[in-house]
Amino acid sequence: MAWDDVSRWQPVDLAAAFKMGDAVQPVDVRDMGYRESDQQVKNAIRVDPMEFERQVLELPEGKELIFYCDRPGEATSLKIAMWAFDNGRSRVGVLVGGWSAWQDAGYPVEPKPSA
């Protein structure tokens, strides 16, 4: 898979998919930003970017996995999305602009789970 084969989701598109009940699953792969934040995209599943190879395989089937991070150019989310595709997950995408774009647009967030 190449980087241009990963679907790229604008925050408005992901928010619309939630409202329409589409089968999408946000996946938080922020590193330092996750540790420093007390919030995440609503209904996101956390995958530690340092342990993603094991954790991605445990994500639910039947939904498009939309990875988001806080690195320029969606660097972490793109890397993990490409790996997920190469390892059997056919529906993967990244959130353009990542966490900051989602938060800046005012879309739903929730407290992240306690450790």
Side-chain angles (χ1 to χ4, degrees):
M1 168 180 234
W3 66 269
D4 57 348
D5 292 326
V6 173
S7 64
R8 300 181 64 78
W9 289 68
Q10 296 293 329
V12 66
D13 298 324
L14 183 56
F18 286 153
K19 284 184 180 180
M20 295 177 63
D22 292 348
V24 294
Q25 175 62 64
V27 183
D28 189 327
V29 295
R30 293 176 291 161
D31 188 19
M32 184 66 76
Y34 184 81
R35 289 191 292 275
E36 294 174 353
S37 178
D38 60 352
Q39 295 180 321
Q40 64 183 20
V41 171
K42 188 170 181 166
N43 298 320
I45 294 176
R46 168 71 176 155
V47 166
D48 186 326
M50 303 306 283
E51 299 179 26
F52 73 89
E53 291 168 343
R54 176 183 55 81
Q55 295 178 351
V56 166
L57 298 175
E58 298 170 357
L59 292 172
E61 298 284 341
K63 293 184 177 186
E64 182 159 358
L65 303 174
I66 310 300
F67 296 94
Y68 69 92
C69 65
D70 52 8
R71 304 251 338 260
E74 298 78 53
T76 301
S77 23
L78 186 57
K79 171 186 170 183
I80 295 173
M82 288 172 57
W83 184 91
F85 183 87
D86 288 343
N87 285 274
R89 302 310 291 265
S90 61
R91 297 174 57 210
V92 297
V94 296
L95 181 62
V96 175
W99 168 247
S100 60
W102 183 262
Q103 196 174 33
D104 290 349
Y107 291 123
V109 297
E110 66 185 7
K112 67 181 190 185
S114 340

